Amino acid sequence: MPRSGENTGGLRKARQSAGVGRQIGAAGERRIVSALCYDMVGSTDLFQRLDIEDYSELIAAVQAAAKQAITSCSGVVKVIAGDGGLALFPIELGAKDGASLAVRAGLAIIDACKRAGAKYGHGDVRLRVGVATSVALIHARQADGSQEPVTGAALALATRLEALAEPDTVLVSEETRNLAGRSHAFVFQGTRALKGFATPLRVWRASPHRKEVDRFYAFGNLIGPFIGRDDELEAIASCWRKVCDGTGEILLLEGEAGLGKSRLLREVRKMTRDARVKSFFFQCSVDGAHSTLHPLMHGLPGQSGQRGTTVRLTSSAVSSQFARNGIDDVEAVDVFAHMLGADGGHRPLSDLKPGAIRERAHRAVFRALQAMCKNGPIVLAVEDIHWIDPTSQDLLTAAMGAVQHLPVLLVITSRPVRERAWLEDHSLTRLTLRPLTDDETRQAIEAMWPKHRSAMLAEFLDVAEHISGGVPLFIEEICQWASEGLKTDSMKLASTVSPDRLSAFESIVDARLSQVGSAREVVRAGAVAGSRFTLDLLKEMLPGFSRKALLGAANTLCDMGLLSRLRMPGPTAYGFRHMLIQETIYNTLLQKQRRELHRRLFNACRQIDKLASWMDTGALAQHAEYAGLLEDAVGLFIAAGTDHSSRSALIEARHHLEHALALCEQFAEANKAELLQLAAFAALGPILTGTVGMGSPAARDLYERGIEIARRQPVETQPRWFPIYWGWWQTGADFRTMHDRALQVQSILSAVNDPEIQLQVNHSIWAIDFNLGRHRETQAAIEAGLAFYDESAARTGRTLFGGHDAKVCALGQLALSLWLTGDVAGSDAALSDMISFVDRISHTPSKAHSLDTEAVSAFYRDDYEGLSEVAASMAGLSRQHDMPSLFGLSQLFGGWADVHRGKLADGYETFQEGLSLLRGLGAVIDLPIYLYMHASMLGLARDYATAIEVVGDAIENTNETGHRYWLSELYRCRAGLNSHNGASGDVIAEDLVAAFHVARSQGAATLQRRAEQTARELGIVLEP
């Protein structure tokens, strides 16, 4: 027999020559050997109960069955002693094959001996088996050809493991488990002190064969029995019957962590398997709560690649994935590719406003669902929506509105949360999961309790029921703990734990991890990494571990049911079987430990391209924050916000950027903080103006803070912060304030030698001066600005400043200003130049801006036919590109044109619809003209009193805001209305005098002539 204390540490070196052996002089050679020891349980009792001949026949049959099982697996029986024996596997084969065959033989021995015993009327025959692997010295064969002698620890260790095994189980050493891990599943049984071995050894129990495991895998069974939930299953069945009849149903599974929402969803899959055409499952995760469309993103190809490679999601990949599910809608592919940030191929949507893209996305959701269920009912599941990102939530809401018309069962799972109004707007079946009843808890414990520890169940049942609280996940963990070597003292200690269920769960998980040695460090690193990690990532986080050690630890943790292998392309990835396990392990880490692991992860991801390709910029920023690397974190949060903004995900973008600003408050050095704050302000400003409004307190406060910091920066850096100056100008409270700010910006940036900035400074001046009625200044700013125009630079400027091309704006504004000042020929030329130029650059928002200018020009000239044509063009472009504000303008101007072409009632109704739409969108940009139109139409309808009230409000508003360029016409309009309404000559004259003087002060010769003409018609004498 070998020396029981023999060192097995040389196994790693010996494995290199396991196939051919290593010659050791004449004495033999070193090989890796797997040994098996088996022994019959209770043979002494059988000997006392049976006749000696019956006993001998039974033992002979058992030994024959054992030998047959061993030899069928290429094993060699070395010793047969009474009711047991020893065998070796096989020296001629490789180490992995030998270990796998030994485990297979051990399991086969148990089954074969049971059958043999049953033939002799003894179905209770039970065996224990131990298997171990070690380096051994194989001596030369004997002359008689018998099996060569073997010296090594494997035989002694197999014997100790057999003695330790429960009846009808196979216990194996850690090296056996590592070698046979691809062919069998193993369940960790704890660390045991074995007689004759100096240090405690980790022990594993073999399961029949390797299965594809998922988050429900635990202690040797793919999934435990499904106990209770009868009412819930009936409700699900009822919903599914309705879906099969063609009526969509929404099912909400709600409950605290661990109550079995995902397990119930598994039952949904089983229940619907025969009748459904397809099923689609999307998983939300805590580290994706602010990552746009992350449940969809994680299900798409192209997110993982080999270490050191760059793999990006592409539009073609999105298209292919959609096509595989029957979705060939080009617009749907385009909009989802845009929102997912896919590279290449799809038509650019960046020119559209987020609201228009949202409308497209909603339509795409409906059409996609139609395509997915065109051949029959489908199941669509979204798990853990308490972690859903805002964009996914919005599209899920759209899906909820669509499924009622389609054969779709939409299943949503969630923990209880307060903010759930968006769900309540839809008709749904809510199933709120509760803990199992006392009887159900006992049934679950009894069903899942490990058979090899059944003798302990009666003693521990009450305690297990108490600490589980009827939570299925907790029951699983308790039973797993029992399977791994739970001792009486441990369970007695468990009975005294805090009544807080989560504290009890934490204690159980910690007790299980205390037995896995260094694998505990691996699972802690995984908890820091998040919902997904690979061995490459773990290696960077735990530099002291070899890849082999990490693989062994990962396999151990998977076999324990703590981790599961994830199905995804690229290297094997791992995740936690349940998020509560990850949360629990993470929360037990000391702050210093967390910070160091986050730091290692972050540094590795920055240094190694696509080490964690599934992790987006926002997630990486979070790791930097938790690592205490605030400067890196802020920079990445700003980058994440910018990326989400480019994908029209403004809520996610705002979250990242506001968080970046909050972190800046923690900086010790003001200079570093200020530069990062300015970068965040520049990115966040357009998001706030687009979501909460140009005049909102949030937007104005942001730009006030930004401009204060920007002014302190060196002159040479000012161009970088021009977006903040632009936003500060735009968010002025009224036109006069905006004018003053435009001049201040011009003064501050006068020394900046940047043509694009000088163009945009003049852009801000001509835009505001025109509205103030300052035509000379407007035309001068246009001339100065166009001198700086560069078409290549304009491609960026169009997006950043005003949303339209500066030259289109300049030519349009010039055309209007020249007409107002009496230069009709110059106006016509500028208008023609604008139309030609905008058609050449093919920029949709600029085209919309051009059409608005064309409409206003036709309105000025009372060209109703021309205005009608422009309105039709507006409507066509708005429908083509989902531009609701442009459609509102088409109704407003089209209605005005119809009124003056004899369709008073219809035209007025159309006008009102357009104005109402613009008000609802917050897109009323030329209020004096719109109110002038409204009052004029009321006058045509002879509702003079209301008309006078409307125009009076317009005059008051214009004087308050400084939006004065049409003020002369408002006074003239009121004079005409008062004349029709029988007002005194003094009242009429007062308005006409005001109209005349306002027009003259602005240099608006055309409007001045109109005031004079009306005065002559009404017999009013205007003093020069």
Side-chain angles (χ1 to χ4, degrees), residues 36 83 104 359 408 482 540 606 678 737 914:
L36 178 151
D83 57 355
R104 183 185 300 175
E359 291 296 323
V408 177
E540 300 300 328
R606 291 297 295 267
L678 287 173
T737 302

Side-chain angles (χ1 to χ4, degrees), residues 116 254 330 364 399 551 622 672 688 720 743 779 854:
E254 188 175 52
V330 175
L551 178 60
Q622 196 167 58
K672 285 185 178 180
L688 290 181
R720 183 179 175 188
L743 295 182
Q779 294 169 22
E854 292 176 59

Side-chain angles (χ1 to χ4, degrees), residues 41 54 60 271 326 371 395 413 615 658 694 804 825 924 938 961:
V41 178
D54 293 339
M271 183 184 299
L395 297 188
T413 74
M615 196 178 298
E658 289 183 339
M694 194 80 70
H804 55 256
V924 180
L938 289 170
T961 63

Side-chain angles (χ1 to χ4, degrees), residues 932-1012:
Y932 172 91
M933 291 177 171
H934 190 193
S936 297
M937 286 187 283
L938 289 170
L940 291 172
R942 302 181 185 277
D943 185 359
Y944 299 120
T946 305
I948 291 169
E949 183 180 347
V950 169
V951 76
D953 290 341
I955 291 170
E956 183 179 355
N957 177 266
T958 296
N959 284 318
E960 287 177 358
T961 63
H963 198 178
R964 294 170 55 88
Y965 84 96
W966 201 246
L967 180 58
S968 172
E969 285 293 273
L970 290 172
Y971 280 125
R972 190 177 71 88
C973 177
R974 188 166 67 178
L977 291 170
N978 276 320
S979 174
H980 287 295
N981 201 38
S984 68
D986 290 343
V987 171
I988 298 169
E990 183 180 355
D991 277 340
L992 285 174
V993 169
F996 175 81
H997 285 293
V998 168
R1000 189 169 65 174
S1001 68
Q1002 295 177 354
T1006 302
L1007 303 187
Q1008 182 178 333
R1009 287 195 294 269
R1010 282 187 172 184
E1012 292 171 337

Side-chain angles (χ1 to χ4, degrees), residues 174 281 302 475 485 565 709 819 1016:
E174 183 168 31
F281 291 83
I475 294 171
R565 297 172 184 86
I709 298 174
W819 188 88
R1016 285 195 295 270

Side-chain angles (χ1 to χ4, degrees), residues 625-847:
E625 177 187 354
Y626 295 160
L629 304 172
L630 292 186
E631 189 172 349
D632 290 309
V634 171
L636 285 169
F637 276 123
I638 293 171
T642 303
D643 173 64
H644 285 292
S645 177
S646 72
R647 294 155 56 187
S648 308
L650 300 190
I651 297 177
E652 294 92 325
R654 181 176 178 180
H655 166 83
H656 287 306
L657 293 167
E658 289 183 339
H659 191 63
L661 287 170
L663 291 180
C664 286
E665 301 296 329
Q666 302 178 28
F667 276 50
E669 296 182 40
N671 289 340
K672 285 185 178 180
E674 286 188 348
L675 292 176
L676 290 168
Q677 282 175 313
L678 287 173
F681 287 146
L684 180 58
I687 295 170
L688 290 181
T689 58
T691 54
V692 296
M694 194 80 70
S696 65
R700 287 177 175 168
D701 178 67
L702 178 140
Y703 282 117
E704 290 285 358
R705 293 163 60 198
I707 204 72
E708 181 182 351
I709 298 174
R711 282 172 166 170
R712 295 199 293 264
Q713 305 310 307
V715 173
E716 60 270 17
T717 67
Q718 290 297 326
R720 183 179 175 188
W721 312 124
F722 181 69
I724 294 174
Y725 287 103
W726 177 272
W728 179 64
W729 162 73
Q730 275 194 317
T731 54
D734 53 46
F735 286 96
R736 295 185 184 90
T737 302
M738 293 174 72
H739 175 262
D740 293 342
R741 288 184 175 184
L743 295 182
Q744 288 184 59
V745 172
Q746 185 180 46
S747 175
I748 294 169
L749 301 179
S750 60
V752 172
N753 185 23
D754 186 311
E756 182 64 20
I757 287 180
Q758 294 305 325
L759 166 66
Q760 298 301 341
V761 167
N762 280 285
H763 186 177
S764 67
I765 292 173
W766 79 59
I768 202 64
D769 276 346
F770 177 84
N771 286 292
L772 288 169
R774 299 164 62 94
H775 294 292
R776 185 173 60 255
E777 292 85 349
T778 298
Q779 294 169 22
I782 290 171
E783 182 180 2
L786 287 179
F788 294 106
Y789 183 83
D790 178 80
E791 194 166 335
S792 60
R795 294 187 179 94
T796 301
R798 292 166 193 160
T799 302
L800 295 177
F801 309 116
H804 55 256
D805 186 88
K807 185 173 180 178
V808 172
C809 180
L811 291 172
Q813 211 86 78
L814 181 62
L816 298 179
S817 182
L818 288 172
W819 188 88
L820 290 169
T821 56
D823 186 354
V824 176
S827 174
D828 290 343
L831 196 66
S832 178
D833 288 346
M834 176 195 73
I835 294 171
S836 298
F837 181 72
V838 78
D839 288 342
R840 181 168 67 79
I841 65 173
S842 299
H843 183 245
T844 301
S846 296
K847 181 61 177 177

Side-chain angles (χ1 to χ4, degrees), residues 180-223:
R182 291 187 177 273
S183 60
H184 293 81
F186 297 91
V187 181
F188 184 59
Q189 300 295 291
T191 302
R192 306 296 177 87
L194 300 178
K195 184 178 179 181
F197 290 84
T199 58
L201 301 177
R202 293 198 286 182
V203 178
W204 302 81
R205 177 168 57 83
S207 290
H209 54 81
R210 166 67 64 194
K211 294 181 178 179
E212 181 70 30
V213 297
D214 61 12
R215 60 178 293 185
F216 299 104
Y217 176 78
F219 43 97
N221 295 316
L222 179 63
I223 191 167

